[in-house]
Structures are given as structure tokens and as C-alpha cells.
Amino acid sequence: MTTIRDVAKRAGVSVTTASYALNGIGSIGEATRKRVLEAAEELNYHPNAFARHLKHRKTQTIGVFISRFGGSFYEEILEGIHSVILETDYELLVCPESRSTRRILLHRQVDGAIVFDSKISNEAVLKLASRRFPIVVLDRFLQGEFILPLLLDNPQGVREAFGHLYHQGLRKMAFVAGAMDSFDNAERMATFLAEAEQHALHVPVYQGNFTEISGYEIAQTIIQSDELPEAVFCANDQMALGFLRAMKEHGLHAPADIAVVGFDDIPQTRYMQPSVSTISASRFEWGTTAVRQLIDFLENESPFQPRRIPTRLQARQSSTL
Amino acid sequence: MTTIRDVAKRAGVSVTTASYALNGIGSIGEATRKRVLEAAEELNYHPNAFARHLKHRKTQTIGVFISRFGGSFYEEILEGIHSVILETDYELLVCPESRSTRRILLHRQVDGAIVFDSKISNEAVLKLASRRFPIVVLDRFLQGEFILPLLLDNPQGVREAFGHLYHQGLRKMAFVAGAMDSFDNAERMATFLAEAEQHALHVPVYQGNFTEISGYEIAQTIIQSDELPEAVFCANDQMALGFLRAMKEHGLHAPADIAVVGFDDIPQTRYMQPSVSTISASRFEWGTTAVRQLIDFLENESPFQPRRIPTRLQARQSSTL
DNA sequence: ATAATCAAGTGAACCGTTTCACTTCGCTGA
DNA sequence: TCAGCGAAGTGAAACGGTTCACTTGATTAT
């Protein structure tokens, strides 16, 4: 590995001069600067990032903490984040859940974090966040001067979906809930029930856990009961898929027998027969917004702008009479 | 930030002793060790990763270089890599194409690399690879003592697909090729044509570029020609999807009018109507194999084991008469 | 002629660890 | 009694950069 000392020696200058010349700062004569740059080029010199970070106590890196790579779930968000990073001189460190998450966060290997991993506790986030280490959270509602929660606009999409069902004359509705500890689930449920209440409807809630199988099992239960609901809203698409699978197995059709709406707009929903109505959000924009705000905070200390990511109903076959 | 000096001071020992105690090496009395660990705990001390890396000239990090996050393409490979990393004391740095790729590679911020990004040139890989910096490439055939190409077993899957078509009595076949500079495309095509030749078949080749639209356009051309082939093999699924879309628009059905087979087993193939025959590989296993070999090389200098990732035909509706 | 100014360049400390080479000291065995 | 030893602990250099405070020597103003 060639170091700046090698470069300095070859250019016949001091290390200080070499450093200034390479970084284009300090007052260095044109001829000298050129000599240093040439030497660096000839020796194929590249500064050691660790030495630099150690000195600067900054890493020019944004950390993104997700629970796993799979599931198509983070893909678009990451693409969005990446697209912004490309325009900046920051780097991107994507870290799936593991011991290293703790390590990386604690060892300050990144300048700021975007958190989308419920395994990271609220306490941890609260403890870590500081002026020197702002955190954007995408998966929870958490307030703090140096914490920005950036969440989906669940109410908007859910209200739209409710209206879509209601205006088609459907009155007997059911709600299939996801994991209890999920903020999104809570908000989707609260909104749906509030809308129903406004229209004097009673909506039974079935407790699932966001998995396909939980949707499937809940559908079994519902189908075996006395009378079927006219419409079911599932707190996410996986459960809607499970629900539809059970319906199919019992010879029931959506939307004729039960209209079904999900949430997230995962790719399969488009390809299923029938195609599945769902609520979409621009996950790409979610990612770009998150990283823009984070970098803006790091560079200019601009206070966080609370914001919701818009959602939109995608009315497809499974709920359109 | 608390440093090891703070810990040493609080424990009333030298920095050296603190370091040894924290790392569990050197000869340090039991009582002293305990005192140091307590001090570290109380001060919430975490060693600075950069200082450590600087000293060690090792980062305990594997870099994965992909072209982008989207497209479901890397997902499973990354999951596989991640699952292995979890069992080791290495960390994972996933880097989508950008200036930073160069930076990270050149600045030796990782101990070894897994490359799956055709934008990184062969020359770059050849120049970088060394005993101290082994590289696994997943997207090209590249030989070198410190380079391990880990590729799909294209011939196996393609031969299976050819047999599947041939045994159903199909004789008039066509091949829809992907990007010219792709190793996978070349190998798939070579295998298919060789198989055809063995059975005295002539197979016309249509040049696409792996995109859905190129498959669509080629289908248009073929459909407007005098006589249709009985079967078409597309070098990847995207093109197969485009091909099927064009067929549908012209009122043609797969497999009755033309049997279609793709390659990659992307999720949609399962959900389409008709479901699309394709060739699958365990991408998860691809990832685990890659990182296992890399770490094994780093730790034990065990020479690379050339290997192919097995592929398997998934015969679905689009090609099953 | 001389002081002031300025551009160009340099020495050395520092960032936070690790680790080599060394010291200290109590104990054992002859 | 004392050489020798091993356990416990320490000082300081090193990793590879950056940057503060400083020197040098030429130019300018008076």
C-alpha cells in the first residue's frame, strides 16, 4: 500500500505539502501541486479511508438498517436512497439485522442512520440519536429532536379504500389485523374502524400477524361461520393473498362473494387471478425523502420536516363489482 | 465519545493494560481485568472501529458490489450471503454501483469482494485481486489465482429444457438471445444450439437484450413471419414475459401455438396465466457458496474451489402440452 | 535601508487503538 | 543470599492521514 509519505518523497516535498496539494487546500505553488498529483498518479496512490475518518471523526456514510434483504419489501426504498446518495458525496452502508448492527451503530461507523427494523428497540434509537447522529425511522412513530419519523399516510389510503367499498353498496365489512405491535397496523385499523363508525357500521376484527398463513386461517374461520361479510380489508397484502387462497379453495370468488382489499401493493397483487386491490405508496420516494432530510440535517442542521408519504388505492378486480 | 484512555483512567491502569484486558489477551490479573471491564461498562465504552482497522490493516468486512438494489435479482443472493455472515465475525458492506464502488474497493475498506456488477471491468477486477484481496465474481468468467468465478450451471438447465421440448415432439424451435456481452447469454445459446445440432435441428437466433420489450418486439417479428415455430427458448424470463404478452395480443396461446421457456424463475413466472416454464437456480445457495469460499480463503488461504451452481427446469403451463 | 506583508512550504501533534519491548517485584530453588 | 523466573503491568512507537502554528525568503511600502 502506498501512503502519502511515499507520494511526498517522490515529489520531493513534505508530507504536509503533499496533503494540502492532494486536497487542493492550503497555499501551494502551482508547479508543486502538479508534481505531487503526478507522483500520486504514478504510485497509484489512494488515501486510506480509515486514517481519514479517524482524524475527521466523520465517515461521510449513511447507514441503513433493515431486518433482511428478502421479501421485495425494502428494494424500492433502497433504490430511492441510493439514487439520492449518488448525487452526494456520501456513501451508503446497508446493514441487515445482526450483531453487526449494534456494532456499526455503536462504533459510529456512520454519520447518520435510517432505521427500518423493528428489532432495533425504541430505547436504542432514543439513546443513540443526537445532534451528531440524527436518525430517520421508517417503521415507528418516535418523537425526538434528532429523530425523524417518516411514515406512510395510512389514513389517506385506508379512507379511500373504505369509500371505494362503501360506495359500491357494501355494508357488512370485516378487518383482518396484522401484528399487534406494528404502528402501521394500529393506524390502519383505527382509521378503518373510525370510518365505519362514522357510517354507523360495526366491523369485527380478526387478529392476524401479517403472514400469508394467518390470512389463510382467518379466512377459514370466517367462511365456516354463519354468514359471510361482503368485504374484507386486510392490513397487508400477504394476508390478503392467504385470504384469497382460502376463498378459492372453498369455491368462493372475489369480489362476487367477498370483496378483498390489501395494503402495500406487492408485485404479486397485479399478477394474481383476480388481481388484488391494494393500497400503494411510492416507496422510492420514501427512500429519497428519508436520505435527503438526513443529509440536510447533517450538513445544515436544518430541522426535520415531519411528513407523511402519500398512499393511493389501487382498485383492482378483487374488490370491484 | 469515550476512548480507551478514559477507561484506563477510571480503572486506574495504563492504556496498555486496558487494551489487553478488554481484548482478553496479555497477562493481566483477574482483579484488574474486572476493574477495567467495569469501567468500560460504566462509561458505555465502545472501541473506535477506524482506529482498530487502521492499526490492523484489516476490516473484517466483506464487500458485495451489485449494480442496483431493485429488480428482485439480487435479493436472494444477498439473503444467502447475509445468512453466512451472521455465523461469522465478519461484517457485510453492500454497495450498489456508484463512485463509491471505486472508492471502497480502492481504499481497501473491505477485506474481500463479491462482484456482481458488469459495470466493473475485467481489468479492474484483475488489477485489484491479490492474496490480500481475493475476489469472487458471479457475473463473468474470469480466471486468476485470487479470483473465483462462481457461475450458474447454464448447460445443465438448458439441456433439460431442450429435452423437455424435444420429447414432447416439438421440432421447430427458435432462440431469443439476450445481451451480447453477457457470459450467461453466450453459454445458454451455445448449449441450446449444440443440443439442437445433435438432434439435427436448425434453430434460428433472434437478438434481444434481456429486456421485456425486446422479447415483445421479437415476438412481433416472428408472429408476422410465414410460419410460427413450435417452441421458443428465451435467454431470460423478462424476454419470455414480453414474448408471451405479444402472443396474447395476437390471440395466440402458449403452449398450444408456441411453447415458451425462460430462464431465472423470477416470481412473476409463477403467477402469470399461463404460468411460465423457466429454469431456476438456488440463488440463496449461490450467495452462501460465494461468501463461504471467500472467508475460507481469507482465513486459511484455502485455494478456491471452482464450482457451478446447479440449475433445474421448472416445467409449467407455457411449455407443457 | 528597513519593517511589514505575504505566498510557499514544513515540523510535529493528533485522531484511538494495538503491541513490542521493557520494567518491576515477589517467589523459588540451590 | 541471591540468581533466575514468571506474572503483572507499562511506555512509546506505530498505523496513515490532517492541520495548527510556525519558518523562510522574496516583495512591497515607506
Side-chain angles (χ1 to χ4, degrees), chain A residues 33-53:
Chain A
R33 185 192 313 283
K34 221 173 133 207
R35 212 146 24 88
V36 171
L37 294 181
E38 275 169 21
E41 178 73 23
E42 284 163 23
L43 294 173
N44 193 27
Y45 166 77
H46 294 280
N48 179 305
F50 296 118
R52 207 200 290 253
H53 293 160

Side-chain angles (χ1 to χ4, degrees), chain B residues 4-5 19-20 48 55:
Chain B
I4 199 171
R5 258 162 262 274
S19 177
Y20 283 139
N48 179 305
K55 184 68 188 175

Side-chain angles (χ1 to χ4, degrees), chain A residues 159-171 173-174 192 230-233 259-261 313 318-321:
Chain A
R159 274 198 282 267
E160 211 182 326
F162 180 88
H164 158 73
L165 297 170
Y166 192 86
H167 288 130
Q168 291 185 95
L170 304 175
R171 292 294 179 272
M173 304 190 192
F192 198 87
E230 296 165 345
V232 167
F233 185 97
V260 175
V261 180
L313 173 69
S318 71
S319 71
T320 310
L321 296 172

Side-chain angles (χ1 to χ4, degrees), chain B residues 200-218:
Chain B
L201 302 184
H202 172 70
V203 171
V205 172
Y206 297 86
Q207 187 63 50
N209 63 2
F210 279 143
T211 60
E212 201 265 359
I213 188 75
S214 72
Y216 180 83
E217 289 168 358
I218 288 170

Side-chain angles (χ1 to χ4, degrees), chain A residues 102-122:
Chain A
R102 263 182 65 79
R103 275 220 293 264
I104 291 174
L105 281 169
L106 292 171
H107 300 190
R108 290 289 191 284
Q109 288 186 49
V110 295
D111 292 346
I114 297 175
V115 168
F116 202 148
D117 176 1
S118 55
K119 291 213 200 66
I120 298 176
S121 72
N122 282 350

